Amino acid sequence: MATKLKEESAPTPMMAQYLALKAEAADCLLFYRMGDFFELFFEDARIAAACLDIALTARGEHEGEPIPMCGVPVHSAEAYLARLIKAGHRVAIAEQTESPAEAKKRGSKSLVARGIVRVVTAGTLTEEALLDSRAANWLVALARVGDRFGLAAADVSTGRFELSSVAPNALDAELARLSAAEIIACEPADGVEAQLRKSGFDSILAERRLKERFGVATLDGFGSFDRATLAAAGGLLAYLDEVARESLPFLQPPVARAADAHMMIDAATRESLELTVSASGTRAGSLLHAVDRTVTGAGARLLAADIGAPLLDRAAIEARLELVRLFEGDGGTRDMLRRQLKALPDIGRALGRLVAGRGSPRDLGQLRDGLDEARRLHDRLASLPDRPDLLDALLPALTGHGSLVDLLARALVPSPPIDAANGGYIAEGHDAALDDLRATGGEGRRAIASLEAKYRLETGIAALKIRHNGVLGYHVEVPAKHADPLMAADSGFTHRQTLAGVVRFNAPDLHEQAMRVGQAGAHALAAEAAHLEELIAAALHRTNEIAAAADALARLDVAAGLAERAAEGGWCRPSFELHNCFDVEGGRHPVVEEALRSSGARFVANDCGLSESERLWLVTGPNMGGKSTFLRQNALIALLAQAGSYVPAAKAKLGLVDRLFSRVGASDNLARGRSTFMVEMVETAAILSQATERSFVILDEVGRGTSTYDGLAIAWAVVEAIHDRNKCRCLFATHYHELTRLAERLDALSLHHVRAREWKGELVFLHEVAQGPADRSYGLAVAKLAGLPPQVLSRARSVLAKLEEGRAATGGIAAGLDDLPLFAAAAQEEAAPDPLHAAMAEVDADALSPREALDLVYKLKRLAAEQG
Ligand code: ADP
């Protein structure tokens, strides 16, 4: 009994190996390679079976319990990995690191050695199947030193590597811009969902590692980095080492990203403006979707990056706009460019796979085709007259790849396979020895084919066939009823296998030819593999040049795509002024316009004119009248212009915007966890503390998340604060008509409304923005439009009449507000000490006589009574 128990609790050698690997994999799911499957055990198996919807089985026992298990076939593992990664898991891949034959050499019962070769995580993917070709895939490491956050961001699928450092209040915007697939940090940061890691976050060590990695004596050539940034970079490199194991992922030299080189756009603004995803979580319905006419994955990724980080440098914006202008004005060149780009493979990502050691012959084929096409494009574009500076800066990256392209063209077949294992990717004529091996193999196969006829003749069995399979190799197969003569000892055939209906044999000359074919094949495969290695090395020798070509092609695609969009929608080139103006004629909302067009409706264009003397527009009007649309379209125009795009307007003269804010009253944000009104107030507070005179703010129905009185009071105070303190350009939409009274006191505030009309008892929205306040709110008309039952409507009408009577008598809920001191005066008033305190402060207690002390008590009591 005792021995039995012992047997049960001692894990089998395989289980012991598994458990050791699992301990190493820690919080990852462990894919344990067994033959043609990756198997998962224990809790991993339960999690994966549920997530992948595959059968959970059991195998053997561990500590007296059956071991839960599930598995996925190796050949389709990518699709399963994709689902696990999407569901937020990380997966460690344990491969067999020796062949069964090698294991056997060590001892007849030795277990095949296995090791973790890679950890697959959301932020470190390179596989085409696991990535969205039109989106970047960032891994971000975050480190705090003092009051700076350092960010190191890498997209190893294309090698982009950016370093930046931001103040704590800008962290949210920076992370929102990157929208990382995975974040690691050495300590928890407020509101950031990050995996905590300790190793590598050391600025001194990091500096050394960066220098080593990029082969430089100093980092000065890349920019200057503070300690927080270096620490983050160190954490990033350590994490990449950990997940990629022996193969170093692709990192281009780091780009120092100055956080103040870009328009600051925080997460709430990105969400509310639906920049890259719509409110319903899809790409369709987002700004990006409405603007994106790029034809390559790399172009789409760059456009998303541009829209996510509009520029602040006027010269850089103009440079982008000049390139768009070139293609906008020359439809022929634009069409040619877009047609050529469309056929282009994604060389940036092919390069990423090659650098990471996961490259295939097909990736080399993509480099060959892409770089060849790049040269052709270069020649077409270089002959254009009046080339913008940016084009001249991009062109050199497109050429100079000739010798690599020639080498790959000579060496590779036209469409090389993804899988190198079966060979067949090296072209004929590249290597005479390989050609000989192939010829030998071919001759052998032909000889084998001719043996079939010979054997038929010799045996008189017309149904005799020579076949090939993985187990027997080449063999002779005859129907069972003809097998007897071949079974005879002197037949010249050796029996190998009897199956239902057929019997299989070997024969000496067949064996000889098969050996010849087999050997030639194995040698040819080895020769191809050696060539593959050389070709990859030749390509990697030019890593930076290829990456530059990929970037240049992406920039051309973005410019041509924006030009296409501008031409399609009649967009205009924005111009920039030095003062804080915002002057748009005939502005439109690209997403709403597109949606309306598809339903056959027309979008009404509207002007918007903000200047230093009229910086705040208060927009009133009925619900559904078009207020939100108007606000957003102007924010989007500011953003698109600084991203280097034409804008949906007839004319746009803009002063650069340093920070963009968009907030929507609480009831539109129900999806969030916190109290919605709380969210609204937190976000509004962020604007009041961060908006500068160069900022652009849109506030939509702020204050509606609470009761009428509270809401009006808050909206009132927010408008005053924006006007008096932030002094930024602002569009403020509200249904509180009472706010219009502010126009009398706030001189840079002006009133506007969206027009609506009641026509034959029906409400008609004109969607026109006009001067002055709305004459009425049309709430009941909107309710009628929405289908509120007639009884309810008529009851509402009587209640409204009663309320309006009350308003007429008392002056309404905002009565008396005009008498409130101005914002600045009110702030001062709050700060002034009350008389009781003032009197106390004057008293020198030590100098008081008893009589004076009694007088003082009377005086204080009197003051207290007056106050009240
Ligand atoms: P509000 O914020 O005043 O409630 P919205 O901006 O949400 O109104 O607009 C309501 C609807 O009116 C939109 O969904 C759109 O279909 C339509 N609309 C808004 N602006 C325009 C416009 N300028 N031209 C045409 N239709 C518009």
Coordinates of all heavy atoms in Angstrom, one line a residue, residues 342-421:
K342 N -0.7 49.8 -54.0 CA -1.7 48.8 -53.7 C -1.1 47.4 -53.9 O -1.4 46.5 -53.1 CB -2.9 49.0 -54.5 CG -4.1 48.3 -54.0 CD -5.3 48.8 -54.7 CE -6.6 48.2 -54.0 NZ -7.8 48.8 -54.4
A343 N -0.3 47.3 -54.9 CA 0.3 45.9 -55.2 C 1.5 45.6 -54.3 O 2.1 44.5 -54.4 CB 0.7 45.9 -56.7
L344 N 1.9 46.6 -53.5 CA 3.1 46.5 -52.7 C 2.9 45.6 -51.5 O 2.0 45.7 -50.7 CB 3.4 47.9 -52.2 CG 4.9 48.3 -52.2 CD1 5.5 48.3 -53.5 CD2 5.0 49.6 -51.6
P345 N 3.9 44.7 -51.2 CA 3.8 43.9 -50.0 C 4.2 44.8 -48.8 O 4.8 45.8 -49.0 CB 4.8 42.8 -50.2 CG 5.7 43.2 -51.4 CD 5.0 44.3 -52.1
D346 N 3.9 44.3 -47.6 CA 4.2 45.1 -46.4 C 5.7 44.8 -46.0 O 6.0 43.9 -45.1 CB 3.3 44.6 -45.3 CG 3.2 45.6 -44.1 OD1 4.2 46.3 -43.9 OD2 2.2 45.7 -43.4
I347 N 6.6 45.5 -46.6 CA 8.0 45.2 -46.4 C 8.5 45.5 -44.9 O 9.4 44.8 -44.4 CB 9.0 45.8 -47.4 CG1 8.8 47.3 -47.4 CG2 8.8 45.3 -48.8 CD1 9.8 48.0 -48.3
G348 N 7.8 46.4 -44.3 CA 8.2 46.8 -42.9 C 8.0 45.6 -42.0 O 8.8 45.2 -41.2
R349 N 6.8 44.9 -42.2 CA 6.5 43.8 -41.3 C 7.3 42.5 -41.7 O 7.7 41.7 -40.9 CB 5.0 43.5 -41.2 CG 4.4 44.6 -40.4 CD 3.2 44.1 -39.6 NE 2.8 45.1 -38.6 CZ 1.6 45.3 -38.1 NH1 0.6 44.7 -38.7 NH2 1.4 46.2 -37.2
A350 N 7.6 42.4 -43.0 CA 8.4 41.2 -43.5 C 9.8 41.4 -42.8 O 10.3 40.4 -42.3 CB 8.5 41.2 -45.0
L351 N 10.3 42.6 -42.8 CA 11.6 42.8 -42.2 C 11.6 42.5 -40.7 O 12.5 41.9 -40.2 CB 12.0 44.3 -42.4 CG 13.4 44.7 -41.9 CD1 14.4 44.0 -42.7 CD2 13.5 46.2 -42.1
G352 N 10.5 42.9 -40.1 CA 10.3 42.6 -38.6 C 10.4 41.1 -38.3 O 11.1 40.7 -37.4
R353 N 9.8 40.3 -39.2 CA 9.8 38.9 -39.0 C 11.2 38.3 -39.2 O 11.7 37.5 -38.5 CB 8.8 38.2 -39.9 CG 7.3 38.4 -39.5 CD 6.4 37.5 -40.3 NE 6.3 38.0 -41.7 CZ 5.5 38.9 -42.1 NH1 4.6 39.5 -41.3 NH2 5.4 39.3 -43.4
L354 N 11.9 38.8 -40.3 CA 13.2 38.3 -40.6 C 14.2 38.7 -39.5 O 15.0 37.8 -39.1 CB 13.7 39.0 -41.9 CG 13.0 38.4 -43.2 CD1 13.2 39.3 -44.4 CD2 13.5 37.0 -43.5
V355 N 14.1 39.9 -38.9 CA 15.0 40.2 -37.8 C 14.7 39.4 -36.6 O 15.6 39.0 -35.9 CB 14.9 41.7 -37.5 CG1 15.8 42.1 -36.3 CG2 15.2 42.6 -38.7
A356 N 13.5 39.1 -36.4 CA 13.1 38.3 -35.2 C 13.4 36.8 -35.3 O 13.2 36.0 -34.4 CB 11.7 38.5 -34.8
G357 N 14.0 36.5 -36.5 CA 14.3 35.0 -36.7 C 13.1 34.2 -37.0 O 13.1 33.0 -37.0
R358 N 12.0 34.9 -37.4 CA 10.8 34.1 -37.8 C 10.5 34.4 -39.2 O 9.3 34.3 -39.6 CB 9.6 34.5 -36.9 CG 9.8 34.1 -35.4 CD 8.5 34.2 -34.7 NE 8.3 35.6 -34.1 CZ 8.8 36.0 -33.0 NH1 9.6 35.2 -32.3 NH2 8.6 37.2 -32.6
G359 N 11.5 34.8 -40.0 CA 11.3 35.1 -41.4 C 11.1 33.9 -42.3 O 11.6 32.8 -41.9
S360 N 10.5 34.0 -43.4 CA 10.3 32.9 -44.3 C 10.8 33.3 -45.7 O 11.0 34.4 -45.9 CB 8.8 32.6 -44.4 OG 8.1 33.6 -45.1
P361 N 10.9 32.3 -46.6 CA 11.3 32.6 -48.0 C 10.3 33.6 -48.5 O 10.7 34.5 -49.3 CB 11.2 31.3 -48.7 CG 11.4 30.2 -47.6 CD 10.8 30.8 -46.4
R362 N 9.0 33.6 -48.1 CA 8.1 34.5 -48.7 C 8.4 35.9 -48.3 O 8.2 36.9 -49.0 CB 6.7 34.2 -48.3 CG 5.7 34.9 -49.2 CD 4.3 34.5 -48.8 NE 4.0 35.1 -47.5 CZ 2.8 35.6 -47.2 NH1 1.8 35.6 -48.1 NH2 2.6 36.2 -46.0
D363 N 8.9 36.1 -47.0 CA 9.2 37.4 -46.6 C 10.3 38.0 -47.4 O 10.3 39.2 -47.8 CB 9.7 37.4 -45.1 CG 8.5 37.1 -44.2 OD1 7.4 37.6 -44.5 OD2 8.7 36.3 -43.2
L364 N 11.3 37.2 -47.8 CA 12.4 37.7 -48.7 C 11.8 38.0 -50.0 O 12.2 39.0 -50.6 CB 13.5 36.6 -48.9 CG 14.4 36.3 -47.7 CD1 15.3 35.1 -47.9 CD2 15.2 37.6 -47.4
G365 N 10.9 37.2 -50.5 CA 10.2 37.5 -51.8 C 9.5 38.9 -51.7 O 9.5 39.7 -52.7
Q366 N 8.9 39.2 -50.6 CA 8.2 40.4 -50.4 C 9.2 41.6 -50.4 O 9.0 42.6 -51.0 CB 7.5 40.5 -49.1 CG 6.3 39.5 -49.1 CD 5.3 39.7 -47.9 OE1 5.7 40.4 -47.0 NE2 4.2 39.2 -48.1
L367 N 10.4 41.4 -49.8 CA 11.4 42.5 -49.8 C 11.8 42.7 -51.3 O 11.9 43.9 -51.7 CB 12.6 42.1 -49.0 CG 12.5 42.0 -47.5 CD1 13.9 41.9 -46.9 CD2 11.8 43.3 -47.0
R368 N 12.1 41.6 -52.0 CA 12.5 41.7 -53.4 C 11.4 42.6 -54.2 O 11.8 43.6 -54.8 CB 12.6 40.3 -54.0 CG 12.9 40.3 -55.5 CD 12.6 38.9 -56.0 NE 11.2 38.5 -55.8 CZ 10.7 37.3 -55.9 NH1 11.5 36.3 -56.1 NH2 9.4 37.1 -55.7
D369 N 10.2 42.1 -54.1 CA 9.1 42.8 -54.9 C 8.9 44.2 -54.4 O 8.7 45.1 -55.3 CB 7.8 42.0 -54.8 CG 8.0 40.6 -55.3 OD1 9.0 40.3 -56.0 OD2 7.1 39.7 -55.0
G370 N 8.9 44.4 -53.1 CA 8.6 45.8 -52.6 C 9.7 46.8 -52.9 O 9.5 47.9 -53.4
L371 N 11.0 46.3 -52.8 CA 12.1 47.2 -53.0 C 12.2 47.5 -54.5 O 12.6 48.6 -54.9 CB 13.4 46.7 -52.4 CG 13.4 46.6 -50.9 CD1 14.6 45.8 -50.4 CD2 13.4 48.0 -50.3
D372 N 11.9 46.5 -55.3 CA 12.0 46.7 -56.8 C 10.9 47.8 -57.2 O 11.2 48.7 -58.0 CB 11.7 45.4 -57.4 CG 12.1 45.4 -58.9 OD1 13.0 46.2 -59.2 OD2 11.5 44.7 -59.7
E373 N 9.7 47.6 -56.6 CA 8.7 48.6 -56.9 C 9.0 50.0 -56.4 O 8.7 51.0 -57.1 CB 7.4 48.1 -56.2 CG 6.1 48.7 -56.7 CD 5.9 48.5 -58.2 OE1 6.0 47.4 -58.7 OE2 5.6 49.6 -58.9
A374 N 9.7 50.0 -55.3 CA 10.1 51.3 -54.7 C 11.0 52.0 -55.7 O 10.9 53.2 -55.9 CB 10.8 51.1 -53.4
R375 N 11.9 51.3 -56.3 CA 12.8 52.0 -57.3 C 12.0 52.5 -58.5 O 12.2 53.6 -58.9 CB 13.9 51.0 -57.8 CG 14.8 51.6 -58.8 CD 15.7 50.5 -59.4 NE 14.9 49.4 -60.0 CZ 14.2 49.5 -61.1 NH1 14.2 50.6 -61.8 NH2 13.5 48.4 -61.5
R376 N 11.1 51.7 -58.9 CA 10.2 52.2 -60.1 C 9.5 53.5 -59.7 O 9.4 54.4 -60.5 CB 9.3 51.1 -60.5 CG 9.8 50.3 -61.7 CD 8.7 49.5 -62.4 NE 8.2 48.4 -61.5 CZ 8.8 47.2 -61.5 NH1 9.9 47.0 -62.2 NH2 8.4 46.3 -60.7
L377 N 8.9 53.5 -58.5 CA 8.2 54.6 -58.0 C 9.2 55.8 -57.9 O 8.8 57.0 -58.3 CB 7.6 54.4 -56.6 CG 6.2 53.7 -56.6 CD1 5.8 53.4 -55.2 CD2 5.2 54.6 -57.3
H378 N 10.3 55.6 -57.4 CA 11.3 56.6 -57.3 C 11.5 57.3 -58.7 O 11.5 58.5 -58.8 CB 12.7 56.1 -56.9 CG 13.8 57.0 -57.0 ND1 14.5 57.2 -58.1 CD2 14.3 57.9 -56.1 CE1 15.4 58.1 -58.0 NE2 15.3 58.6 -56.7
D379 N 11.7 56.5 -59.7 CA 12.0 57.0 -61.1 C 10.8 57.8 -61.6 O 11.0 58.9 -62.2 CB 12.3 55.9 -62.1 CG 13.6 55.2 -61.6 OD1 14.3 55.7 -60.7 OD2 13.9 54.1 -62.1
R380 N 9.6 57.4 -61.3 CA 8.4 58.1 -61.7 C 8.3 59.5 -61.0 O 8.1 60.5 -61.6 CB 7.1 57.4 -61.5 CG 7.0 56.0 -62.2 CD 6.7 56.2 -63.7 NE 5.4 56.6 -63.9 CZ 4.3 55.8 -64.2 NH1 4.5 54.5 -64.1 NH2 3.2 56.3 -64.5
L381 N 8.5 59.4 -59.7 CA 8.3 60.6 -58.9 C 9.4 61.6 -59.0 O 9.2 62.8 -59.0 CB 8.1 60.3 -57.4 CG 6.9 59.4 -57.1 CD1 6.9 59.0 -55.6 CD2 5.6 60.2 -57.4
A382 N 10.6 61.1 -59.3 CA 11.8 62.0 -59.4 C 11.7 62.8 -60.6 O 12.4 63.9 -60.7 CB 13.1 61.2 -59.4
S383 N 10.9 62.4 -61.6 CA 10.8 63.2 -62.8 C 9.8 64.3 -62.8 O 9.6 65.0 -63.7 CB 10.6 62.2 -64.0 OG 9.3 61.7 -63.8
L384 N 9.0 64.3 -61.6 CA 8.0 65.4 -61.5 C 8.6 66.7 -61.4 O 9.6 66.9 -60.7 CB 7.1 65.1 -60.3 CG 6.2 63.9 -60.3 CD1 5.5 63.8 -59.0 CD2 5.2 64.0 -61.5
P385 N 8.0 67.7 -62.0 CA 8.5 69.1 -61.8 C 8.0 69.6 -60.4 O 7.1 69.1 -59.9 CB 7.9 69.9 -62.9 CG 6.7 69.1 -63.3 CD 6.9 67.7 -62.9
D386 N 8.6 70.7 -59.9 CA 8.2 71.3 -58.7 C 7.9 70.4 -57.5 O 6.9 70.4 -57.0 CB 6.9 72.1 -58.9 CG 7.1 73.1 -60.0 OD1 8.2 73.7 -60.1 OD2 6.1 73.4 -60.8
R387 N 8.9 69.6 -57.3 CA 8.7 68.6 -56.2 C 8.8 69.3 -54.8 O 9.7 70.1 -54.6 CB 9.8 67.5 -56.2 CG 9.7 66.6 -57.4 CD 10.7 65.5 -57.3 NE 12.1 66.1 -57.2 CZ 12.8 66.6 -58.3 NH1 12.2 66.5 -59.5 NH2 14.0 67.1 -58.1
P388 N 7.8 69.0 -53.9 CA 7.9 69.6 -52.6 C 9.2 69.0 -51.9 O 9.6 67.9 -52.2 CB 6.6 69.1 -51.9 CG 5.8 68.5 -52.9 CD 6.7 68.2 -54.1
D389 N 9.6 69.8 -50.8 CA 10.8 69.4 -50.1 C 10.7 68.0 -49.5 O 11.6 67.2 -49.5 CB 11.1 70.4 -49.0 CG 11.5 71.7 -49.5 OD1 11.8 71.8 -50.8 OD2 11.5 72.7 -48.8
L390 N 9.5 67.7 -49.0 CA 9.3 66.4 -48.3 C 9.5 65.3 -49.3 O 10.1 64.2 -49.0 CB 7.9 66.3 -47.6 CG 7.6 65.1 -46.9 CD1 8.6 64.8 -45.8 CD2 6.2 65.2 -46.2
L391 N 9.0 65.5 -50.5 CA 9.2 64.4 -51.5 C 10.7 64.2 -51.8 O 11.2 63.1 -51.8 CB 8.4 64.8 -52.8 CG 8.5 63.7 -53.9 CD1 8.0 62.4 -53.4 CD2 7.8 64.2 -55.2
D392 N 11.4 65.3 -51.9 CA 12.8 65.2 -52.2 C 13.5 64.5 -51.0 O 14.5 63.8 -51.2 CB 13.4 66.5 -52.5 CG 13.3 66.9 -53.9 OD1 13.1 66.0 -54.8 OD2 13.3 68.1 -54.3
A393 N 13.0 64.7 -49.8 CA 13.6 64.1 -48.7 C 13.3 62.6 -48.6 O 14.1 61.8 -48.1 CB 13.1 64.7 -47.4
L394 N 12.2 62.2 -49.2 CA 11.8 60.8 -49.1 C 12.4 59.9 -50.3 O 12.7 58.8 -50.1 CB 10.3 60.6 -49.3 CG 9.4 61.2 -48.2 CD1 7.9 61.1 -48.6 CD2 9.6 60.5 -46.9
L395 N 12.6 60.6 -51.4 CA 13.0 59.8 -52.6 C 14.3 59.0 -52.4 O 14.3 57.8 -52.8 CB 13.2 60.8 -53.8 CG 11.8 61.2 -54.4 CD1 12.1 62.2 -55.6 CD2 11.1 60.0 -54.9
P396 N 15.4 59.5 -51.8 CA 16.6 58.7 -51.7 C 16.4 57.3 -51.0 O 17.0 56.3 -51.4 CB 17.5 59.6 -50.9 CG 17.0 60.9 -51.0 CD 15.5 60.8 -51.2
A397 N 15.4 57.3 -50.1 CA 15.2 56.0 -49.4 C 14.7 54.9 -50.3 O 14.7 53.7 -50.0 CB 14.2 56.2 -48.2
L398 N 14.1 55.3 -51.4 CA 13.4 54.4 -52.3 C 14.4 53.7 -53.3 O 14.1 52.7 -54.0 CB 12.3 55.1 -53.2 CG 11.2 55.7 -52.4 CD1 10.2 56.3 -53.3 CD2 10.6 54.7 -51.4
T399 N 15.6 54.2 -53.4 CA 16.6 53.6 -54.3 C 17.8 53.1 -53.5 O 17.9 53.2 -52.3 CB 17.2 54.6 -55.3 OG1 17.6 55.7 -54.6 CG2 16.1 55.0 -56.3
G400 N 18.7 52.5 -54.3 CA 19.9 52.0 -53.7 C 19.8 50.6 -53.2 O 20.7 50.0 -52.5
H401 N 18.7 49.9 -53.5 CA 18.5 48.5 -53.0 C 18.8 47.5 -54.1 O 18.5 46.4 -54.0 CB 17.1 48.3 -52.5 CG 16.7 49.4 -51.5 ND1 17.1 49.4 -50.3 CD2 15.8 50.4 -51.7 CE1 16.6 50.4 -49.6 NE2 15.8 51.1 -50.4
G402 N 19.3 48.1 -55.3 CA 19.5 47.3 -56.5 C 20.2 46.0 -56.3 O 19.7 44.9 -56.7
S403 N 21.3 46.0 -55.5 CA 22.1 44.7 -55.5 C 21.4 43.7 -54.7 O 21.4 42.5 -55.0 CB 23.5 45.0 -55.0 OG 23.4 45.6 -53.7
L404 N 20.7 44.1 -53.6 CA 19.9 43.1 -52.8 C 18.7 42.6 -53.7 O 18.5 41.4 -53.7 CB 19.4 43.8 -51.6 CG 18.5 42.9 -50.7 CD1 19.3 41.7 -50.2 CD2 17.9 43.7 -49.5
V405 N 18.1 43.5 -54.4 CA 16.9 43.1 -55.2 C 17.4 42.1 -56.3 O 16.8 41.0 -56.5 CB 16.2 44.3 -55.9 CG1 15.2 43.8 -56.9 CG2 15.6 45.1 -54.8
D406 N 18.6 42.4 -56.9 CA 19.1 41.5 -57.9 C 19.4 40.1 -57.3 O 19.1 39.1 -57.9 CB 20.4 42.1 -58.5 CG 20.1 43.2 -59.4 OD1 18.9 43.4 -59.8 OD2 21.0 44.0 -59.8
L407 N 20.1 40.2 -56.2 CA 20.4 38.9 -55.5 C 19.2 38.1 -55.3 O 19.1 36.9 -55.6 CB 21.2 39.2 -54.2 CG 21.4 38.0 -53.3 CD1 22.4 37.0 -54.0 CD2 22.0 38.4 -52.0
L408 N 18.2 38.7 -54.7 CA 16.9 38.0 -54.3 C 16.2 37.5 -55.6 O 15.6 36.4 -55.6 CB 16.0 38.8 -53.5 CG 16.6 39.2 -52.1 CD1 15.6 40.2 -51.4 CD2 16.7 37.9 -51.2
A409 N 16.3 38.3 -56.6 CA 15.6 38.0 -57.9 C 16.3 36.8 -58.5 O 15.6 35.9 -59.0 CB 15.6 39.2 -58.8
R410 N 17.6 36.7 -58.4 CA 18.3 35.6 -59.0 C 18.1 34.3 -58.1 O 17.9 33.2 -58.6 CB 19.8 35.9 -59.1 CG 20.2 36.4 -60.4 CD 21.7 36.6 -60.5 NE 22.1 37.8 -59.8 CZ 22.9 37.8 -58.7 NH1 23.4 36.7 -58.2 NH2 23.2 39.0 -58.1
A411 N 18.1 34.5 -56.8 CA 18.1 33.4 -55.9 C 16.7 32.7 -55.7 O 16.7 31.5 -55.4 CB 18.7 33.8 -54.6
L412 N 15.7 33.5 -55.7 CA 14.4 33.0 -55.3 C 13.5 32.7 -56.5 O 13.5 33.4 -57.5 CB 13.7 34.0 -54.4 CG 14.3 34.3 -53.1 CD1 13.6 35.5 -52.4 CD2 14.2 33.1 -52.1
V413 N 12.6 31.7 -56.3 CA 11.5 31.5 -57.3 C 10.5 32.7 -57.2 O 10.5 33.4 -56.2 CB 10.8 30.2 -57.0 CG1 11.8 29.0 -57.1 CG2 10.1 30.2 -55.6
P414 N 9.7 32.8 -58.2 CA 8.8 34.0 -58.2 C 7.9 34.1 -57.0 O 7.7 35.2 -56.4 CB 8.0 33.8 -59.5 CG 8.9 33.0 -60.4 CD 9.7 32.1 -59.5
S415 N 7.3 33.0 -56.6 CA 6.4 33.1 -55.3 C 6.9 32.1 -54.3 O 6.4 31.0 -54.2 CB 5.0 32.8 -55.6 OG 4.6 33.3 -56.8
P416 N 7.9 32.5 -53.5 CA 8.4 31.6 -52.5 C 7.4 31.3 -51.4 O 6.5 32.1 -51.1 CB 9.6 32.4 -51.9 CG 9.7 33.6 -52.7 CD 8.5 33.9 -53.4
P417 N 7.5 30.1 -50.9 CA 6.5 29.6 -49.9 C 6.7 30.2 -48.5 O 7.9 30.7 -48.2 CB 6.7 28.1 -49.8 CG 8.1 27.9 -50.2 CD 8.5 29.0 -51.2
I418 N 5.7 30.2 -47.6 CA 5.9 30.6 -46.2 C 6.8 29.6 -45.5 O 7.6 30.0 -44.7 CB 4.6 30.8 -45.5 CG1 3.8 31.9 -46.1 CG2 4.8 31.1 -44.0 CD1 2.6 32.3 -45.4
D419 N 6.5 28.4 -45.8 CA 7.2 27.3 -45.0 C 8.4 26.8 -45.8 O 8.3 26.4 -46.9 CB 6.2 26.1 -44.9 CG 6.7 25.1 -44.0 OD1 7.9 25.2 -43.4 OD2 6.1 24.0 -43.8
A420 N 9.6 27.0 -45.1 CA 10.8 26.6 -45.7 C 11.1 25.1 -45.7 O 11.9 24.6 -46.4 CB 12.0 27.4 -45.1
A421 N 10.3 24.4 -44.9 CA 10.7 23.0 -44.6 C 10.7 22.1 -45.8 O 11.5 21.2 -45.9 CB 9.7 22.4 -43.6

